[in-house]
Amino acid sequence: MRLLFLGDVVGRSGRNVVVDQLPALRERWKLDCVVINGENAAGGFGITEAICDDLLSAGADAVTLGNHSFDQREALVFIERQTRLIRPANYPPGTPGRGATVVEARNGARVLVVNAMGRLYIDPLDDPFSAVERELAACPLGEVCDAVLIDMHAEATSEKLAMAHFVDGRATLVVGTHTHVPTADHRILPGGTAYLSDAGMCGDYDSILGMAKEEPIRRFLQKTPGARMEPANGPGALAGIAVEVCDKTGHALDVAPIRLGPHLSEARPHFWE
Amino acid sequence: MRLLFLGDVVGRSGRNVVVDQLPALRERWKLDCVVINGENAAGGFGITEAICDDLLSAGADAVTLGNHSFDQREALVFIERQTRLIRPANYPPGTPGRGATVVEARNGARVLVVNAMGRLYIDPLDDPFSAVERELAACPLGEVCDAVLIDMHAEATSEKLAMAHFVDGRATLVVGTHTHVPTADHRILPGGTAYLSDAGMCGDYDSILGMAKEEPIRRFLQKTPGARMEPANGPGALAGIAVEVCDKTGHALDVAPIRLGPHLSEARPHFWE
Amino acid sequence: MRLLFLGDVVGRSGRNVVVDQLPALRERWKLDCVVINGENAAGGFGITEAICDDLLSAGADAVTLGNHSFDQREALVFIERQTRLIRPANYPPGTPGRGATVVEARNGARVLVVNAMGRLYIDPLDDPFSAVERELAACPLGEVCDAVLIDMHAEATSEKLAMAHFVDGRATLVVGTHTHVPTADHRILPGGTAYLSDAGMCGDYDSILGMAKEEPIRRFLQKTPGARMEPANGPGALAGIAVEVCDKTGHALDVAPIRLGPHLSEARPHFWE
Amino acid sequence: MRLLFLGDVVGRSGRNVVVDQLPALRERWKLDCVVINGENAAGGFGITEAICDDLLSAGADAVTLGNHSFDQREALVFIERQTRLIRPANYPPGTPGRGATVVEARNGARVLVVNAMGRLYIDPLDDPFSAVERELAACPLGEVCDAVLIDMHAEATSEKLAMAHFVDGRATLVVGTHTHVPTADHRILPGGTAYLSDAGMCGDYDSILGMAKEEPIRRFLQKTPGARMEPANGPGALAGIAVEVCDKTGHALDVAPIRLGPHLSEARPHFWE
Ligand SMILES: [Fe+2]
Ligand SMILES: [Fe+2]
Ligand SMILES: [Fe+2]
Ligand SMILES: [Fe+2]
Ligand SMILES: [Fe+2]
Ligand SMILES: [Fe+2]
Ligand SMILES: [Fe+2]
Ligand SMILES: [Fe+2]
């Protein structure tokens, strides 16, 4: 089974590159399951229903979120009916939407997708480790589902690594999001879980995290309010991770980073090319 | 001119891999200048004089630090006489040591090495942007020196990227440290400055940021004090960045990540091999 | 019913003033129930069994904790048998000890004592609001118990005030701890809950939060490691809050701050004098 | 000489109570100098020129700010011509306005007013201690000026106390702002400097820090965006500190908290009544 995850889609540049390229990639690589983080898809802040639909139509089986989940207020409403859009599982009880979903991959496999948010240097939610534990217990790999993808939306590398080792063997992939910078530490952990500290973003890399450079730089130099933050609108690049999954165990057989587009050194999954 | 930077050396595993491999790499790649971040070289916390000497003897021309600069108290003393060891330039006036140094590369070039520390999600020091501005003004690229390397020790990717764009064209390389995870976003910015968000660490990657996994994982699950944090002691890997520098302008001509050793996908500078 | 709460006991100065003065105050004011925050009682960091016993012997009915709960490792053990020592209720499940206890006051009343920890600018634990909700549901005021005291250990005034309004009418007293500075905003909220943003500390006020001044000041000026933090050892003062409780409803009838000793303007409960 | 400081004015309730009561207090207590923190005067966020004029007309000699200095963008402009409005001195060089000003008190005395912002749990600016040191050096008490008032806008009590001890003897008053809760630790330090950790706010105390309660409470319970934060609009109270100043040394002779209005226990300077 072939699993693809793409990092935080930022603004129009990010949406365009996904919509333009994902259908062909899905075909070319015969992808069985695609998950995309969409927390910055709407102008850099949150996601709308129309944009979520675009990502799903482009080939995503599920869309994950993060600290920007509800920046667009309509997400509080449509997330209730859109079961393929999930927000961190460790939001307080009663938060609209859900923290995990099971999608059926093209090969018929059942894939549990979990979203969790770290607590270091980011809004304090409830314990992401026990939230993930709960989701795994409700739908264990190899019993109720055939693959488990965990999007660990977090700032601190320590927390992402800890999550990965915590679930090693019980998940197919733990991939970090939120920093918008792709890391180069993809590997398969001893228990069989693929890991990447951060998927990077889908968007214009001639930017500060996908946003036009001038205003964020200015805010570091001066400490006065300025212009609104706007997404950079140059051509976008795709970034994420590819996992070849064992159909029998749900563990990772092979893992490779994906980096396609301007400003990034190209990376492709040789095992699918 | 050939410039190599290696990320945070963590504990004995990190020191061993540097001492074992750097001399040969220096030879093989005909390196003109090597800089290493040593803030975690002594058991994960700070640096001692003996360890600093080991890194310099192994082939480093300068050693940089970070938020752990003075975890080993002796560094407060020997940093005053060891001019090739620098700590962040935005420490308060009066802090022992200096925030920048000029080293003579093997090819005779003068290389300004600057260390700065971010302020997001890390101890609040003075403005790193104006500190770097000051160091660049005192020793401008192409006038007083032939190359400029800036180690931006920071947690937030936004702050590292902002620093890079801030000095683009005025530095040869801006490389981030501190997260201990190598990123995959190496590039040359429009003005000629090479950039990598994080160099990664030199140490045992079967770990949480170079430390034995059990205790940091336990601290995320429980919130009680436990054992001391100890460096992981498996075989170490090297991580960093290679820059081919224009002798005339001091700008980057080529850039490549370095990843050599267990748990990392290998990366070498094809332009030197 | 007469309820007294004393803020964070810091070191020997804090313990001495409690042990010296509480027995007489208990007599003089005919106190029915006394609760003390003891998170800094052992040299400024945590609490030992011997010290906990001293505070209980001096007249405390219960002792609460905070972010320093387990700085003394022995507390992880003896808190299991010492049911009158409680730690924040929003520690993760499995943490030694408990987050609430019911004590029998001298007048025979049953007093629920709850400890919770905020999440702003302090270690991220689980949601303190739902933790308190749970404790109140398990032992509702006016049904299962006759009074409810909540020690909200937190940095941010917003979070303390929010907790107070959240439980207004369902608790007798919400009192903040942790900042070690007594506030002057004692009042009875519309629903009948007494409130004070911070009780202040019991300790030597010629200090920085109970610790000898030199080292903390130095750490603000320089950013280098220095001496250990040691408690200031001048004569201590008591700080806290007095509540006259309605025996029928468990609501507050009268509230007054307590400030007795050097460096503080004296405050006593006129309604008991 | 008689010095009065009032804490953060929040919204219309805060402005009204200042405008209504300050003129009479100024008369009654024969005040020589009045300083007010106005960072939340405009709807809770920042200050406008009209509002600044209102505070000055009501009897303020100077107005200080904090982390909300420039929430109203017009403040970036009019602060340049309004020399009696100051913002924290440790903003980066080039920030509009100034961090200190000298006002002439009614008795002819020259009063240096300094504003500084802490760095713990708040936006990271440059070192407030060296900024204050600079301002004191430029206008030393007893030489160039007759009194020095420092508004230390900070979250952490440790940082406020450290500042007070740092300048003890070199300032007339160090008063904290920002938490919007009046503290009860007013005292005169050994060197002669009056101190209060927080002045509290001028505004409606039936609120969360001056803002209508519902939305901030909801944000602690749920982690979803909601309504805008609006100031509470019930009757406001005044909070601050009164200092009787030695005309000869500029040190404090007497100090008392001021708390006048709903929800606060009344406090007046007995030495002026
Ligand atoms: Fe994002
Ligand atoms: Fe995010
Ligand atoms: Fe490090
Ligand atoms: Fe570091
Ligand atoms: Fe404490
Ligand atoms: Fe505390
Ligand atoms: Fe304020
Ligand atoms: Fe403020």
Side-chain angles (χ1 to χ4, degrees):
Chain A
M1 179 190 159
R2 295 176 167 197
L3 183 61
L4 179 78
F5 180 86
L6 296 176
D8 310 39
V9 175
V10 182
R12 180 172 302 277
S13 294
R15 294 182 333 247
N16 284 352
V17 69
V18 170
V19 168
D20 290 354
Q21 302 198 18
L22 183 56
L25 288 178
R26 188 142 191 163
E27 207 55 37
R28 176 194 177 99
W29 290 338
K30 300 182 182 19
L31 300 173
D32 293 304
C33 182
V34 176
V35 178
I36 305 181
N37 185 298
E39 71 147 3
N40 309 105
F45 299 96
I47 192 166
T48 63
E49 186 162 23
I51 288 174
C52 185
D53 286 347
D54 287 349
L55 297 178
L56 294 170
S57 301
D61 295 291
V63 173
T64 54
L65 294 167
N67 55 315
H68 290 290
S69 296
F70 299 112
D71 285 1
Q72 302 296 324
R73 301 278 295 276
E74 65 175 89
L76 289 164
V77 177
F78 82 82
I79 199 174
E80 289 287 9
R81 58 178 178 265
Q82 180 45 275
T83 58
R84 292 155 76 196
L85 175 65
I86 60 173
R87 43 74 181 167
N90 51 332
Y91 270 108
T95 302
R98 59 209 67 75
T101 195
V102 175
V103 297
E104 193 184 323
R106 289 213 182 164
N107 66 337
R110 293 167 52 85
V111 180
L112 173 67
V113 183
V114 183
N115 195 188
M117 201 161 108
R119 298 201 285 189
L120 289 185
Y121 320 133
I122 201 169
D123 312 327
L125 298 182
D126 286 342
D127 178 7
F129 293 86
S130 65
V132 164
E133 183 72 53
R134 242 185 340 261
E135 300 296 346
L136 294 183
C139 184
L141 178 64
E143 298 177 38
V144 183
C145 67
D146 305 301
V148 174
L149 183 158
I150 300 173
D151 172 356
M152 176 65 174
H153 195 77
E155 176 71 34
T157 44
S158 59
E159 201 167 12
K160 292 167 169 180
L161 271 160
M163 178 62 79
H165 287 290
F166 176 62
V167 302
D168 183 20
R170 301 188 290 158
T172 308
L173 169 65
V174 173
V175 58
T177 53
H178 179 66
T179 73
H180 291 203
V181 170
T183 61
D185 60 338
H186 51 281
R187 56 183 284 216
I188 300 175
L189 300 177
T193 298
Y195 174 69
L196 179 68
S197 286
D198 209 287
M201 67 166 175
C202 297
D204 176 5
Y205 275 80
D206 183 21
S207 67
I208 308 282
L209 312 188
M211 307 307 279
K213 291 191 292 277
E214 294 66 26
E215 179 58 16
I217 293 173
R218 197 198 58 77
R219 291 192 191 181
F220 279 109
L221 301 179
Q222 301 162 26
K223 293 289 180 175
T224 47
R228 273 171 56 97
M229 293 274 214
E230 299 284 355
N233 53 19
L238 289 181
I241 182 167
V243 185
E244 176 71 42
V245 186
C246 173
D247 291 331
K248 227 158 139 178
T249 62
H251 287 159
L253 295 173
D254 230 327
V255 62
I258 305 288
R259 297 189 301 270
L260 298 171
H263 309 295
L264 289 178
S265 76
E266 189 170 289
R268 293 165 170 277
H270 66 89
F271 44 84
W272 293 343
E273 295 253 301
Chain B
M1 179 191 158
R2 297 177 166 197
L3 184 61
L4 180 78
F5 180 86
L6 296 176
D8 311 38
V9 175
V10 183
R12 180 173 302 277
S13 294
R15 296 186 328 252
N16 283 353
V17 68
V18 169
V19 168
D20 290 355
Q21 302 198 17
L22 183 56
L25 289 178
R26 188 144 191 162
E27 207 55 38
R28 174 194 179 99
W29 291 336
K30 299 182 184 21
L31 299 174
D32 293 303
C33 182
V34 176
V35 179
I36 305 181
N37 185 297
E39 71 148 4
N40 308 106
F45 299 96
I47 191 165
T48 64
E49 186 162 23
I51 288 173
C52 185
D53 287 346
D54 287 348
L55 297 178
L56 294 169
S57 302
D61 295 290
V63 172
T64 54
L65 293 167
N67 55 315
H68 290 291
S69 296
F70 300 112
D71 285 2
Q72 302 296 325
R73 300 279 295 274
E74 65 174 89
L76 289 164
V77 178
F78 82 83
I79 198 172
E80 289 287 11
R81 58 180 178 264
Q82 180 44 275
T83 59
R84 293 157 76 196
L85 175 65
I86 60 173
R87 43 73 181 167
N90 51 333
Y91 269 109
T95 302
R98 60 209 66 77
T101 194
V102 175
V103 298
E104 192 184 325
R106 289 211 182 166
N107 65 338
R110 292 168 53 86
V111 181
L112 172 67
V113 183
V114 183
N115 195 188
M117 202 161 106
R119 297 201 285 189
L120 289 185
Y121 319 134
I122 202 170
D123 311 328
L125 299 183
D126 285 342
D127 178 6
F129 293 85
S130 65
V132 165
E133 183 71 53
R134 241 185 341 261
E135 299 296 347
L136 294 183
C139 184
L141 178 63
E143 299 176 37
V144 183
C145 68
D146 305 301
V148 173
L149 182 159
I150 300 173
D151 172 356
M152 175 65 174
H153 195 78
E155 176 71 34
T157 45
S158 59
E159 200 167 12
K160 292 168 170 180
L161 271 160
M163 178 61 81
H165 286 290
F166 176 63
V167 303
D168 184 19
R170 302 187 289 158
T172 308
L173 170 65
V174 173
V175 58
T177 53
H178 180 64
T179 73
H180 291 204
V181 169
T183 61
D185 59 340
H186 51 280
R187 56 184 283 215
I188 300 176
L189 300 178
T193 299
Y195 174 69
L196 180 68
S197 286
D198 209 286
M201 68 166 176
C202 297
D204 177 5
Y205 275 80
D206 182 20
S207 67
I208 307 281
L209 312 186
M211 307 307 277
K213 290 190 292 278
E214 293 67 28
E215 179 60 15
I217 294 174
R218 196 197 59 75
R219 290 191 192 182
F220 279 108
L221 301 178
Q222 301 162 25
K223 295 287 180 174
T224 48
R228 272 173 57 97
M229 292 274 215
E230 298 284 355
N233 55 19
L238 289 182
I241 182 167
V243 186
E244 177 71 42
V245 185
C246 173
D247 291 331
K248 228 157 138 178
T249 62
H251 288 158
L253 295 173
D254 231 328
V255 61
I258 305 289
R259 298 188 301 271
L260 298 171
H263 308 296
L264 289 178
S265 75
E266 188 171 289
R268 292 165 171 277
H270 67 88
F271 44 83
W272 293 342
E273 293 252 301
Chain C
M1 179 190 158
R2 297 177 165 196
L3 184 60
L4 180 77
F5 180 86
L6 296 176
D8 310 38
V9 175
V10 183
R12 180 174 302 278
S13 294
R15 296 184 331 249
N16 283 353
V17 68
V18 170
V19 168
D20 290 354
Q21 301 198 18
L22 183 56
L25 288 177
R26 188 144 191 162
E27 206 56 37
R28 174 195 178 100
W29 290 337
K30 299 180 185 18
L31 299 173
D32 293 303
C33 182
V34 176
V35 178
I36 305 181
N37 185 298
E39 71 147 3
N40 309 106
F45 299 96
I47 192 165
T48 63
E49 185 161 24
I51 288 174
C52 184
D53 286 346
D54 286 348
L55 296 178
L56 294 169
S57 301
D61 295 291
V63 173
T64 54
L65 294 167
N67 55 316
H68 290 291
S69 297
F70 300 112
D71 285 2
Q72 302 296 324
R73 300 278 295 276
E74 64 174 90
L76 289 163
V77 177
F78 82 83
I79 199 173
E80 289 286 11
R81 58 179 177 265
Q82 180 44 274
T83 60
R84 293 156 75 195
L85 175 66
I86 60 173
R87 43 73 182 167
N90 50 333
Y91 269 109
T95 302
R98 59 210 67 76
T101 195
V102 175
V103 298
E104 192 183 325
R106 287 211 183 166
N107 65 338
R110 291 166 54 87
V111 180
L112 172 67
V113 183
V114 182
N115 195 187
M117 202 160 107
R119 295 201 286 188
L120 289 184
Y121 320 133
I122 201 170
D123 312 327
L125 299 183
D126 286 341
D127 178 6
F129 293 85
S130 64
V132 165
E133 184 72 53
R134 244 187 336 263
E135 299 296 346
L136 295 183
C139 184
L141 178 63
E143 299 176 37
V144 182
C145 68
D146 305 300
V148 173
L149 183 158
I150 300 172
D151 172 357
M152 175 65 174
H153 196 78
E155 176 72 33
T157 45
S158 58
E159 200 167 13
K160 293 168 169 179
L161 271 159
M163 178 62 80
H165 287 290
F166 175 63
V167 303
D168 184 19
R170 303 187 289 158
T172 308
L173 169 65
V174 173
V175 58
T177 54
H178 179 65
T179 74
H180 292 203
V181 170
T183 61
D185 60 339
H186 50 281
R187 56 183 284 216
I188 300 176
L189 300 177
T193 298
Y195 175 69
L196 180 68
S197 286
D198 209 287
M201 69 167 175
C202 297
D204 177 5
Y205 276 80
D206 183 20
S207 67
I208 308 281
L209 311 187
M211 308 307 277
K213 290 190 293 278
E214 293 67 26
E215 178 60 15
I217 293 174
R218 197 197 59 75
R219 291 191 191 182
F220 280 108
L221 301 178
Q222 301 161 26
K223 295 288 181 175
T224 47
R228 270 173 57 99
M229 294 273 214
E230 298 284 355
N233 54 19
L238 289 181
I241 183 168
V243 186
E244 177 70 42
V245 185
C246 173
D247 291 331
K248 230 159 136 176
T249 63
H251 288 159
L253 296 173
D254 232 327
V255 61
I258 305 288
R259 298 188 300 271
L260 298 171
H263 309 294
L264 289 177
S265 76
E266 188 171 290
R268 291 165 171 277
H270 66 90
F271 45 82
W272 293 342
E273 292 253 300
Chain D
M1 179 191 160
R2 295 176 167 198
L3 183 61
L4 179 76
F5 180 86
L6 296 177
D8 310 39
V9 175
V10 182
R12 181 173 301 277
S13 295
R15 294 182 336 246
N16 283 353
V17 69
V18 169
V19 168
D20 289 355
Q21 302 199 17
L22 183 56
L25 288 177
R26 187 141 191 163
E27 207 54 39
R28 176 194 176 100
W29 290 337
K30 300 183 184 18
L31 299 174
D32 293 303
C33 183
V34 176
V35 178
I36 305 181
N37 184 298
E39 70 146 5
N40 308 106
F45 299 97
I47 191 165
T48 63
E49 186 162 24
I51 288 174
C52 184
D53 287 346
D54 287 349
L55 297 178
L56 295 169
S57 301
D61 295 291
V63 172
T64 53
L65 293 167
N67 54 316
H68 290 290
S69 296
F70 300 112
D71 285 2
Q72 302 296 325
R73 301 278 295 274
E74 65 174 89
L76 289 164
V77 178
F78 83 83
I79 198 172
E80 288 288 9
R81 58 178 178 264
Q82 180 45 274
T83 59
R84 292 155 78 195
L85 175 65
I86 60 173
R87 45 72 182 169
N90 50 333
Y91 270 109
T95 302
R98 60 209 67 76
T101 195
V102 175
V103 298
E104 193 184 324
R106 289 212 182 164
N107 66 338
R110 293 167 52 87
V111 181
L112 172 67
V113 183
V114 183
N115 195 187
M117 201 160 108
R119 297 202 284 189
L120 289 184
Y121 319 134
I122 201 169
D123 312 328
L125 298 183
D126 285 342
D127 178 6
F129 293 85
S130 65
V132 165
E133 183 72 52
R134 239 182 346 257
E135 299 296 346
L136 294 183
C139 183
L141 178 62
E143 298 176 38
V144 183
C145 68
D146 306 301
V148 173
L149 182 158
I150 299 172
D151 172 357
M152 176 64 173
H153 195 79
E155 176 72 34
T157 45
S158 59
E159 200 168 13
K160 292 167 170 180
L161 272 159
M163 178 62 79
H165 287 290
F166 176 62
V167 302
D168 184 20
R170 302 187 289 158
T172 309
L173 168 65
V174 172
V175 58
T177 53
H178 179 65
T179 73
H180 292 203
V181 170
T183 61
D185 59 339
H186 51 280
R187 55 184 284 216
I188 298 175
L189 300 177
T193 298
Y195 174 69
L196 179 68
S197 287
D198 208 287
M201 67 166 175
C202 297
D204 177 6
Y205 275 81
D206 182 21
S207 67
I208 307 282
L209 312 188
M211 308 307 277
K213 291 191 290 277
E214 292 68 26
E215 178 59 15
I217 294 174
R218 196 196 60 75
R219 291 192 192 180
F220 279 109
L221 300 179
Q222 301 161 26
K223 294 288 179 174
T224 48
R228 271 173 56 98
M229 292 273 214
E230 300 284 355
N233 54 18
L238 289 180
I241 182 167
V243 185
E244 177 70 41
V245 186
C246 174
D247 292 331
K248 228 157 137 177
T249 62
H251 287 159
L253 295 173
D254 231 327
V255 61
I258 304 289
R259 296 189 303 269
L260 298 171
H263 308 295
L264 289 178
S265 76
E266 188 171 289
R268 292 165 170 278
H270 67 89
F271 44 84
W272 293 344
E273 294 252 300

